[in-house]
Amino acid sequence: MHPQTLAARFYEVFGAHPTFLARAPGRVNLIGEHTDYNEGFVLPMAIDREVRLVGRPRADDWVRLYSLNFEAHAAFRLSALQRDNPPGWADYCKGVAWALQQAGYALHGFDAVVHGDVPIGSGLSSSAAIEMATIMAFQASNPEVCLSPETAARLAQRAENEFVGVRCGIMDQMIAALGQVGHALLIDCRTLEHTAVPLPKGVAVVVVDTGAPRALAASAYNERRAQCEAAAQMLGVPALRDLTPEEFEARRTSLPPLLARRAEHVVNENARVLAAVEAMRANDIHRLGALMSESHMSLRDLYEVSSPALDAVVEIALSTPRVYGARMTGAGFGGCAIALVDEAQVGVFIARIQYEYPRRTGLTPRLYVSAANEGARWQPFTPPSSIPTHRAILAHQPPAEPPLCAERGDSIFREIPDPETPHWWWCRDKRGRRGRVHERFFEEEDYRFVLREDFCAQELPLSVGEWVMLIEAYDGWALVENAHGERGWVPERALVPATPPR
Ligand code: GLA
């Protein structure tokens, strides 16, 4: 949700203007799974979905939050932090407050409206995103709190481990803190040294949410950690990170078979991460894809954290032309898979998943094409004093879109997603006219895409200087309503906030 929309909601809830915007992204991990808590290597990238807080510092020790995702309030005092049972969304914020205070910071509270478009519980790390966005909000509200991204990540991990009670590793918080546009991040989880690695050209990372519940994820995750710790102890090393594949092979018989399988995955996965970095540097997408697929097989057969739904996505992906590799991402047991797809083939790949996956599993997939985003940050937020709230004025004539027009029920040929504005696709209508269409307009029938509403590229004709009500803003586009109550989407850059006419 656009910061201006959040600011308007903040004004409604708290009766004042927000002064800061804090944000942190979700993530996918390209390769290096279940290696972080073995002090090994990971290669995640931050995605373009994030948690945002618009807020205003308070002079006392209250934190008051309003979540737009849950349409729910939460309030707590920094001097009396109590975890809810079971933990809810606000406990990630309380946990961060707890960890900062444990580190010796005397904090003031803040009021904030919170909204995230990182899917919750899908393995894209919405929890690290809310933790890191909350740390940014505390930094914005307390000038003496000035943390390096690594320290912020460590504190967020501590919040999750010790306050919320989830024994995660450091990967999610590190990438939420340090993501870079266009890059994945190689992280050494022992030293926290990190290097940005440019994403290869000509390919897209497509995220497929299996829509399957993450069964037994927490207990199985903790069990895997314990197995790795036991294996390292039996092999006489501080962590599995300390063995090369050759050293491990020479000593694997000293482990019981189950622990040997777990350790084999971790040791080889670390080596695969380093090989993947080399492949990316050489723009060798075939090699990178092959390593990703090998990682999946290892997680499926040796580490046993995949699921039938994740395996189905990977199988469909690998049988699609010009898909270079695919694997589950994150902890596993459900959640998301990723595929490395030729940019020109993304539309075909998505259509195949949307067609095949429900037929195989009875589940509905959700798909995201994500660019690599930057990490957590905060910035002062100063809405113009004239109370813009929902009002805006059209400052520039929206650029004329190519004249694609089609009627409800017409077939539409979806070409590729628009890399500039997610959720918009370049499409052709049946007369061959090309234009960009927001995905909410079409639905899939077999391999065809059918319009569910009439669509004309120039949806809402407006003239410069016309007053409009800003309903919602989304990925560079704003849904506005004109004086006659007609709604349509215009590019956000065509609008400037201003006072309503009297
Ligand atoms: C979860 C944890 C991470 C990491 C992955 C598996 O996402 O939060 O720390 O262990 O699983 O790689």
Side-chain angles (χ1 to χ4, degrees), residues 27 29 32-37 168-172 221 330-331:
R27 64 99 187 88
N29 188 15
E33 219 63 85
H34 291 277
T35 45
D36 62 349
Y37 52 81
C168 61
I170 189 72
M171 167 171 74
D172 305 342
Y221 183 88

PDB file of all heavy atoms in Angstrom, residues 27 29 32-37 168-172 221 330-331, ligand 1:
ATOM      1  N   ARG A  27      11.861 -11.995   1.512  1.00  0.00           N
ATOM      2  CA  ARG A  27      13.015 -12.531   0.777  1.00  0.00           C
ATOM      3  C   ARG A  27      12.687 -13.873   0.123  1.00  0.00           C
ATOM      4  O   ARG A  27      11.758 -14.557   0.522  1.00  0.00           O
ATOM      5  CB  ARG A  27      14.210 -12.724   1.704  1.00  0.00           C
ATOM      6  CG  ARG A  27      14.030 -13.763   2.827  1.00  0.00           C
ATOM      7  CD  ARG A  27      14.649 -15.113   2.531  1.00  0.00           C
ATOM      8  NE  ARG A  27      14.342 -16.126   3.517  1.00  0.00           N
ATOM      9  CZ  ARG A  27      13.269 -16.902   3.479  1.00  0.00           C
ATOM     10  NH1 ARG A  27      12.380 -16.793   2.518  1.00  0.00           N
ATOM     11  NH2 ARG A  27      13.056 -17.809   4.411  1.00  0.00           N
ATOM     12  N   ASN A  29      15.312 -17.240  -1.011  1.00  0.00           N
ATOM     13  CA  ASN A  29      16.697 -17.694  -0.964  1.00  0.00           C
ATOM     14  C   ASN A  29      16.988 -18.423  -2.262  1.00  0.00           C
ATOM     15  O   ASN A  29      16.296 -19.376  -2.618  1.00  0.00           O
ATOM     16  CB  ASN A  29      16.873 -18.633   0.241  1.00  0.00           C
ATOM     17  CG  ASN A  29      18.323 -18.990   0.471  1.00  0.00           C
ATOM     18  OD1 ASN A  29      19.214 -18.332  -0.073  1.00  0.00           O
ATOM     19  ND2 ASN A  29      18.567 -20.025   1.260  1.00  0.00           N
ATOM     20  N   GLY A  32      21.261 -22.361  -0.725  1.00  0.00           N
ATOM     21  CA  GLY A  32      21.898 -22.335   0.607  1.00  0.00           C
ATOM     22  C   GLY A  32      20.815 -22.497   1.653  1.00  0.00           C
ATOM     23  O   GLY A  32      20.571 -21.604   2.447  1.00  0.00           O
ATOM     24  N   GLU A  33      20.166 -23.682   1.634  1.00  0.00           N
ATOM     25  CA  GLU A  33      19.017 -23.884   2.538  1.00  0.00           C
ATOM     26  C   GLU A  33      19.416 -24.747   3.714  1.00  0.00           C
ATOM     27  O   GLU A  33      20.088 -25.772   3.546  1.00  0.00           O
ATOM     28  CB  GLU A  33      17.889 -24.540   1.738  1.00  0.00           C
ATOM     29  CG  GLU A  33      16.530 -24.013   2.088  1.00  0.00           C
ATOM     30  CD  GLU A  33      16.359 -22.536   1.764  1.00  0.00           C
ATOM     31  OE1 GLU A  33      16.020 -22.217   0.617  1.00  0.00           O
ATOM     32  OE2 GLU A  33      16.548 -21.696   2.669  1.00  0.00           O
ATOM     33  N   HIS A  34      18.990 -24.314   4.893  1.00  0.00           N
ATOM     34  CA  HIS A  34      19.320 -24.988   6.159  1.00  0.00           C
ATOM     35  C   HIS A  34      20.829 -25.010   6.399  1.00  0.00           C
ATOM     36  O   HIS A  34      21.350 -25.932   7.013  1.00  0.00           O
ATOM     37  CB  HIS A  34      18.712 -26.403   6.202  1.00  0.00           C
ATOM     38  CG  HIS A  34      17.210 -26.361   6.295  1.00  0.00           C
ATOM     39  ND1 HIS A  34      16.550 -26.200   7.492  1.00  0.00           N
ATOM     40  CD2 HIS A  34      16.253 -26.406   5.348  1.00  0.00           C
ATOM     41  CE1 HIS A  34      15.238 -26.167   7.271  1.00  0.00           C
ATOM     42  NE2 HIS A  34      15.026 -26.289   5.972  1.00  0.00           N
ATOM     43  N   THR A  35      21.492 -24.013   5.882  1.00  0.00           N
ATOM     44  CA  THR A  35      22.934 -23.877   6.133  1.00  0.00           C
ATOM     45  C   THR A  35      23.216 -22.764   7.147  1.00  0.00           C
ATOM     46  O   THR A  35      24.278 -22.763   7.753  1.00  0.00           O
ATOM     47  CB  THR A  35      23.682 -23.540   4.823  1.00  0.00           C
ATOM     48  OG1 THR A  35      22.946 -22.517   4.151  1.00  0.00           O
ATOM     49  CG2 THR A  35      23.796 -24.736   3.915  1.00  0.00           C
ATOM     50  N   ASP A  36      22.258 -21.832   7.324  1.00  0.00           N
ATOM     51  CA  ASP A  36      22.602 -20.657   8.163  1.00  0.00           C
ATOM     52  C   ASP A  36      22.871 -21.048   9.612  1.00  0.00           C
ATOM     53  O   ASP A  36      23.835 -20.591  10.210  1.00  0.00           O
ATOM     54  CB  ASP A  36      21.571 -19.528   8.038  1.00  0.00           C
ATOM     55  CG  ASP A  36      20.157 -19.853   8.488  1.00  0.00           C
ATOM     56  OD1 ASP A  36      19.850 -21.042   8.734  1.00  0.00           O
ATOM     57  OD2 ASP A  36      19.345 -18.910   8.602  1.00  0.00           O
ATOM     58  N   TYR A  37      22.053 -21.962  10.165  1.00  0.00           N
ATOM     59  CA  TYR A  37      22.289 -22.338  11.562  1.00  0.00           C
ATOM     60  C   TYR A  37      23.420 -23.366  11.690  1.00  0.00           C
ATOM     61  O   TYR A  37      23.759 -23.787  12.794  1.00  0.00           O
ATOM     62  CB  TYR A  37      20.997 -22.835  12.234  1.00  0.00           C
ATOM     63  CG  TYR A  37      20.257 -23.915  11.487  1.00  0.00           C
ATOM     64  CD1 TYR A  37      20.640 -25.247  11.572  1.00  0.00           C
ATOM     65  CD2 TYR A  37      19.163 -23.603  10.693  1.00  0.00           C
ATOM     66  CE1 TYR A  37      19.967 -26.242  10.893  1.00  0.00           C
ATOM     67  CE2 TYR A  37      18.475 -24.585  10.004  1.00  0.00           C
ATOM     68  CZ  TYR A  37      18.878 -25.902  10.110  1.00  0.00           C
ATOM     69  OH  TYR A  37      18.206 -26.884   9.429  1.00  0.00           O
ATOM     70  N   CYS A 168      14.896 -19.554  14.582  1.00  0.00           N
ATOM     71  CA  CYS A 168      15.377 -19.384  13.208  1.00  0.00           C
ATOM     72  C   CYS A 168      16.871 -19.057  13.201  1.00  0.00           C
ATOM     73  O   CYS A 168      17.431 -18.668  14.221  1.00  0.00           O
ATOM     74  CB  CYS A 168      14.606 -18.258  12.539  1.00  0.00           C
ATOM     75  SG  CYS A 168      14.828 -16.687  13.366  1.00  0.00           S
ATOM     76  N   GLY A 169      17.490 -19.182  12.025  1.00  0.00           N
ATOM     77  CA  GLY A 169      18.878 -18.743  11.849  1.00  0.00           C
ATOM     78  C   GLY A 169      18.913 -17.244  11.560  1.00  0.00           C
ATOM     79  O   GLY A 169      17.942 -16.530  11.824  1.00  0.00           O
ATOM     80  N   ILE A 170      20.024 -16.777  10.966  1.00  0.00           N
ATOM     81  CA  ILE A 170      20.228 -15.330  10.789  1.00  0.00           C
ATOM     82  C   ILE A 170      19.922 -14.868   9.360  1.00  0.00           C
ATOM     83  O   ILE A 170      19.867 -13.680   9.076  1.00  0.00           O
ATOM     84  CB  ILE A 170      21.690 -14.953  11.174  1.00  0.00           C
ATOM     85  CG1 ILE A 170      21.930 -13.441  11.235  1.00  0.00           C
ATOM     86  CG2 ILE A 170      22.696 -15.593  10.210  1.00  0.00           C
ATOM     87  CD1 ILE A 170      21.306 -12.751  12.374  1.00  0.00           C
ATOM     88  N   MET A 171      19.691 -15.829   8.431  1.00  0.00           N
ATOM     89  CA  MET A 171      19.579 -15.442   7.025  1.00  0.00           C
ATOM     90  C   MET A 171      18.492 -14.392   6.765  1.00  0.00           C
ATOM     91  O   MET A 171      18.738 -13.385   6.091  1.00  0.00           O
ATOM     92  CB  MET A 171      19.277 -16.681   6.172  1.00  0.00           C
ATOM     93  CG  MET A 171      18.827 -16.338   4.768  1.00  0.00           C
ATOM     94  SD  MET A 171      18.711 -17.759   3.710  1.00  0.00           S
ATOM     95  CE  MET A 171      17.244 -18.570   4.296  1.00  0.00           C
ATOM     96  N   ASP A 172      17.287 -14.633   7.294  1.00  0.00           N
ATOM     97  CA  ASP A 172      16.150 -13.787   6.907  1.00  0.00           C
ATOM     98  C   ASP A 172      16.351 -12.347   7.369  1.00  0.00           C
ATOM     99  O   ASP A 172      16.070 -11.397   6.639  1.00  0.00           O
ATOM    100  CB  ASP A 172      14.851 -14.344   7.492  1.00  0.00           C
ATOM    101  CG  ASP A 172      14.624 -15.800   7.104  1.00  0.00           C
ATOM    102  OD1 ASP A 172      15.268 -16.244   6.136  1.00  0.00           O
ATOM    103  OD2 ASP A 172      13.822 -16.473   7.756  1.00  0.00           O
ATOM    104  N   TYR A 221      11.675 -28.291  11.972  1.00  0.00           N
ATOM    105  CA  TYR A 221      12.823 -27.390  11.831  1.00  0.00           C
ATOM    106  C   TYR A 221      13.757 -27.549  13.022  1.00  0.00           C
ATOM    107  O   TYR A 221      14.972 -27.718  12.865  1.00  0.00           O
ATOM    108  CB  TYR A 221      12.311 -25.950  11.737  1.00  0.00           C
ATOM    109  CG  TYR A 221      13.373 -24.892  11.517  1.00  0.00           C
ATOM    110  CD1 TYR A 221      13.779 -24.547  10.226  1.00  0.00           C
ATOM    111  CD2 TYR A 221      13.975 -24.233  12.587  1.00  0.00           C
ATOM    112  CE1 TYR A 221      14.753 -23.577  10.016  1.00  0.00           C
ATOM    113  CE2 TYR A 221      14.937 -23.263  12.392  1.00  0.00           C
ATOM    114  CZ  TYR A 221      15.320 -22.933  11.104  1.00  0.00           C
ATOM    115  OH  TYR A 221      16.280 -21.966  10.898  1.00  0.00           O
ATOM    116  N   GLY A 330      13.362 -21.407   1.479  1.00  0.00           N
ATOM    117  CA  GLY A 330      12.968 -21.233   2.881  1.00  0.00           C
ATOM    118  C   GLY A 330      13.007 -22.563   3.613  1.00  0.00           C
ATOM    119  O   GLY A 330      13.644 -23.532   3.175  1.00  0.00           O
ATOM    120  N   ALA A 331      12.298 -22.616   4.731  1.00  0.00           N
ATOM    121  CA  ALA A 331      12.405 -23.786   5.610  1.00  0.00           C
ATOM    122  C   ALA A 331      11.829 -25.058   4.989  1.00  0.00           C
ATOM    123  O   ALA A 331      12.271 -26.161   5.300  1.00  0.00           O
ATOM    124  CB  ALA A 331      11.702 -23.492   6.930  1.00  0.00           C
TER     125      ALA A 331
HETATM  126  C1  GLA B   1      13.824 -20.376   7.785  1.00  0.00           C
HETATM  127  C2  GLA B   1      14.716 -19.750   8.851  1.00  0.00           C
HETATM  128  C3  GLA B   1      16.084 -19.401   8.269  1.00  0.00           C
HETATM  129  C4  GLA B   1      16.699 -20.580   7.558  1.00  0.00           C
HETATM  130  C5  GLA B   1      15.723 -21.217   6.584  1.00  0.00           C
HETATM  131  C6  GLA B   1      16.232 -22.489   5.977  1.00  0.00           C
HETATM  132  O1  GLA B   1      13.531 -19.438   6.806  1.00  0.00           O
HETATM  133  O2  GLA B   1      14.107 -18.587   9.355  1.00  0.00           O
HETATM  134  O3  GLA B   1      16.920 -18.922   9.295  1.00  0.00           O
HETATM  135  O4  GLA B   1      17.174 -21.531   8.485  1.00  0.00           O
HETATM  136  O5  GLA B   1      14.472 -21.503   7.215  1.00  0.00           O
HETATM  137  O6  GLA B   1      17.314 -22.231   5.164  1.00  0.00           O
END
